[in-house]
Amino acid sequence: MGQLLPLGPNIRISSLDISHNQLDGQLQENAAHMIPNIMFLNLSNNGFEGILPSSIAEMSSLRVLDLSNNNFSGEVPKQLLRAKDLEILNLSNNKFHGEIFSMDFNLTGLGYLYLDNNQFRGTLSNVISRIYELQVLDVSNNYMSGEIPSWIGSLPSLKSMEHLEHIHLQGNMLTGLIPRDFLNSSSNLLTLDIRDNRLFGSIPNSISALLKLRILLLRGNLFNGFIPNHLCHLTEISLMDLSNNSFSGPIPRCFGHIPFGEMKKEDLFARIRDSGYEGSRPVYAGYLVKYWGYSNFVYEQKDEVEFVIKNRHVSYKGGILDFISGLDLSCNNLTGNIPYELGMLSWILALNLSHNQLKGSIPNSFSNLSQIESLDLSNNQLSGEIPPQLIGLTFLEVFSVAHNNLSGRVLDMKAQFGTFGESSYEDNPFLCGPMLKRKCNTSIESPYLPSQPCKESEGKWICYLLLHGPILASKMVQLY
């Protein structure tokens, strides 16, 4: 532990990075006067606390301010919210509170704004629309309320938000619909994370305008209606999470034509080769801001999202996001059969269709999910046998078909399927096999359910035959 030593007023410093130390205490009110010409100030990942001195805004040359991962509290000084030359402001993971987007907010030169994991309240005011160069907006895990603004209502053109690439609004108390104009004004968006709010209604068809979107996370809201086919226009998508909502109806068949991380070999090698940063432009999953000539500092901040994979909430950050792909439709009211076309997602790593009302059989085409690591089909109304072709899914680490109406023999305990225990198959009364302690023999017949209920006019014997399957029925005819 230690405290920041005061600097002499005559020392000319353009950049100061003392991040990731064990410094603590409070910043003195006149601390900013000691380094008036500084352009880059990084105090992140320390133990600083207390209220932020208003004099920090008097650093007239300041371009980058990173105070993240400390214990600062109180409201953000109004003077700081008027620093027009500030290009990067990172206040994440502190205890700041108050209404951040007020009339005092006039940071029109910002490119990157991180306010996540604080106690900010209020609404997402249209003042954000005046930040014409904004590329990253993260206000996740605060107490923001109200609706998502369209951000283009009174603007002269849609170009005002053309630079916006990453939006993180998850973990707030936002309500209302997703504005159609909000989607139309963000055509260059790569990440849209609005999980765990109180948003409702359907997904607007205008979402198809986000042709560059890579990550779409809508989990934990009150969305309803059918999943629109317009999502299939998002051909760059790699992660899509629609779980824990009230979507109904069938899974769109066209989902099988979304690449979900598919890439050619040459593209894969190109991504690895270019995993660094070129010039001042960011790669997809991370951003690096460089200033050369008048300053020699480097500031790096990478995008981070959370996705449930292998039954775990995992945060993925930076370049790894280029190689993670998944589709989560769990915990909805989806009905109908699992589309055969989903078996075309040969590059997908995680597929979760659990806790719905899906019926029919598991498609044989799932044997083509050659890269899949997590497949969860549990808690549905699936019937029929488990396709034996699934034994060829050699990367599978998590597999569950529990709580369905499946029948027949569980797959042989070979390759990856030798690692799955009883819990992967439980509550399927017509499944059999050694791990279920239920022997398989020819006297156990698969359940057969008619597509329509019996009518009294068909006669009691016809109903009996329909309800108990063709083999059992033939025996009853002989007895009769």
Side-chain angles (χ1 to χ4, degrees):
M1 294 292 184
Q3 293 186 341
L4 181 62
L5 296 176
L7 302 172
N10 296 322
I11 296 179
R12 296 183 63 85
I13 298 178
S14 61
S15 62
L16 177 62
D17 186 346
I18 53 173
S19 61
H20 295 87
N21 283 286
Q22 298 182 14
L23 300 172
D24 57 16
Q26 299 185 9
L27 298 183
Q28 298 178 4
E29 180 62 36
N30 64 344
H33 299 156
M34 301 295 178
I35 43 178
N37 300 310
I38 198 165
M39 300 175 63
F40 170 81
L41 180 59
N42 189 348
L43 307 182
S44 66
N45 294 279
N46 282 292
F48 292 118
E49 59 186 4
I51 298 174
L52 198 64
S54 58
S55 62
I56 200 167
E58 297 175 14
M59 302 176 184
S60 57
S61 301
L62 193 62
R63 298 292 185 272
V64 176
L65 178 61
D66 191 341
L67 306 177
S68 62
N69 296 290
N70 281 286
N71 293 308
F72 289 114
S73 58
E75 296 189 3
V76 178
K78 294 180 179 179
Q79 296 89 332
L80 181 60
L81 299 179
R82 299 171 186 155
K84 296 183 179 180
D85 293 326
L86 201 60
E87 298 177 17
I88 299 174
L89 178 60
N90 192 339
L91 305 179
S92 64
N93 293 290
N94 280 285
K95 299 176 183 177
F96 289 115
H97 61 78
E99 188 170 348
I100 186 72
F101 297 118
S102 63
M103 294 304 296
D104 295 303
F105 193 94
N106 196 27
L107 300 175
T108 55
L110 272 182
Y112 305 83
L113 178 59
Y114 304 94
L115 304 174
D116 52 293
N117 294 288
N118 280 284
Q119 300 170 23
F120 291 119
R121 55 180 174 79
T123 62
L124 293 171
S125 170
N126 277 324
V127 297
I128 300 176
S129 63
R130 298 199 298 265
I131 312 176
Y132 300 140
E133 300 296 323
L134 190 63
Q135 296 183 44
V136 179
L137 173 64
D138 192 342
V139 293
S140 58
N141 298 308
N142 280 284
Y143 298 103
M144 307 301 295
S145 58
E147 299 182 352
I148 298 176
S150 65
W151 290 342
I152 67 169
S154 58
L155 298 177
S157 71
L158 299 182
K159 294 183 178 180
S160 301
M161 305 300 289
E162 66 178 356
H163 299 290
L164 194 57
E165 295 181 343
H166 303 273
I167 296 179
H168 295 270
L169 307 179
Q170 72 272 18
N172 282 285
M173 298 182 290
L174 301 175
T175 187
L177 306 172
I178 299 179
R180 297 182 179 182
D181 290 340
F182 162 73
L183 299 175
N184 287 329
S185 63
S186 308
S187 59
N188 288 313
L189 208 59
L190 299 175
T191 302
L192 177 59
D193 189 348
I194 53 178
R195 293 171 293 133
D196 301 320
N197 280 284
R198 301 172 183 175
L199 301 168
F200 55 82
S202 59
I203 300 176
N205 292 339
S206 56
I207 198 167
S208 60
L210 305 182
L211 295 179
K212 297 181 180 180
L213 195 66
R214 298 285 191 90
I215 297 174
L216 176 63
L217 306 178
L218 308 183
R219 187 191 75 202
N221 282 284
L222 303 171
F223 293 118
N224 56 26
F226 284 19
I227 297 176
N229 287 333
H230 285 74
L231 287 177
C232 301
H233 295 175
L234 307 179
T235 56
E236 297 294 320
I237 207 80
S238 58
L239 286 177
M240 184 187 297
D241 188 350
L242 308 184
S243 65
N244 287 273
N245 281 285
S246 297
F247 291 114
S248 57
I251 299 173
R253 292 188 175 276
C254 59
F255 269 25
H257 301 287
I258 301 177
F260 280 107
E262 181 177 357
M263 62 187 80
K264 299 178 182 178
K265 281 186 177 181
E266 54 268 26
D267 295 332
L268 175 60
F269 291 128
R271 289 196 187 188
I272 295 174
R273 183 189 66 238
D274 300 332
S275 58
Y277 299 90
E278 300 179 0
S280 61
R281 289 297 301 161
V283 296
Y284 150 62
Y287 356 96
L288 184 65
V289 182
K290 295 181 179 179
Y291 291 84
W292 303 109
Y294 62 87
S295 179
N296 59 359
F297 69 81
V298 175
Y299 178 81
E300 180 179 359
Q301 182 69 30
K302 297 180 179 179
D303 196 24
E304 182 174 4
V305 299
E306 182 184 88
F307 191 79
V308 178
I309 187 170
K310 302 177 186 177
N311 296 328
R312 299 192 304 270
H313 291 260
V314 182
S315 289
Y316 296 98
K317 185 175 183 179
I320 190 64
L321 283 172
D322 288 331
F323 305 100
I324 297 296
S325 59
L327 172 63
D328 193 341
L329 303 179
S330 63
C331 300
N332 281 287
N333 300 313
L334 301 177
T335 56
N337 296 338
I338 299 176
Y340 180 89
E341 289 81 357
L342 291 188
M344 300 169 61
L345 304 178
S346 58
W347 278 84
I348 202 165
L349 300 184
L351 178 61
N352 192 344
L353 308 180
S354 67
H355 292 88
N356 280 288
Q357 301 171 34
L358 301 171
K359 62 180 182 178
S361 59
I362 300 173
N364 293 336
S365 61
F366 274 19
S367 61
N368 298 320
L369 304 177
S370 57
Q371 303 297 315
I372 199 161
E373 299 177 6
S374 179
L375 177 60
D376 192 346
L377 307 177
S378 64
N379 291 275
N380 279 287
Q381 300 170 19
L382 301 175
S383 57
E385 297 185 349
I386 302 173
Q389 298 93 330
L390 299 187
I391 202 90
L393 302 179
T394 54
F395 292 108
L396 200 57
E397 296 182 28
V398 172
F399 175 72
S400 181
V401 291
H403 308 289
N404 279 287
N405 296 316
L406 297 170
S407 59
R409 183 186 297 272
V410 298
L411 299 187
D412 293 336
M413 297 181 66
K414 298 178 180 179
Q416 292 299 103
F417 280 84
T419 66
F420 306 137
E422 182 178 359
S423 61
S424 293
Y425 305 98
E426 64 184 0
D427 196 22
N428 283 278
F430 292 94
L431 275 182
C432 60
M435 73 177 61
L436 298 178
K437 300 176 182 178
R438 189 182 301 126
K439 292 183 178 181
C440 298
N441 56 66
T442 55
S443 64
I444 299 179
E445 305 297 340
S446 300
Y448 176 85
L449 296 178
S451 58
Q452 296 180 349
C454 291
K455 301 177 182 178
E456 291 186 5
S457 59
E458 293 175 326
K460 62 179 182 179
W461 288 116
I462 298 297
C463 280
Y464 193 93
L465 300 182
L466 288 173
L467 285 171
H468 294 84
I471 296 177
L472 185 57
S474 64
K475 295 180 180 179
M476 291 305 301
V477 168
Q478 292 174 0
L479 291 174
Y480 181 75

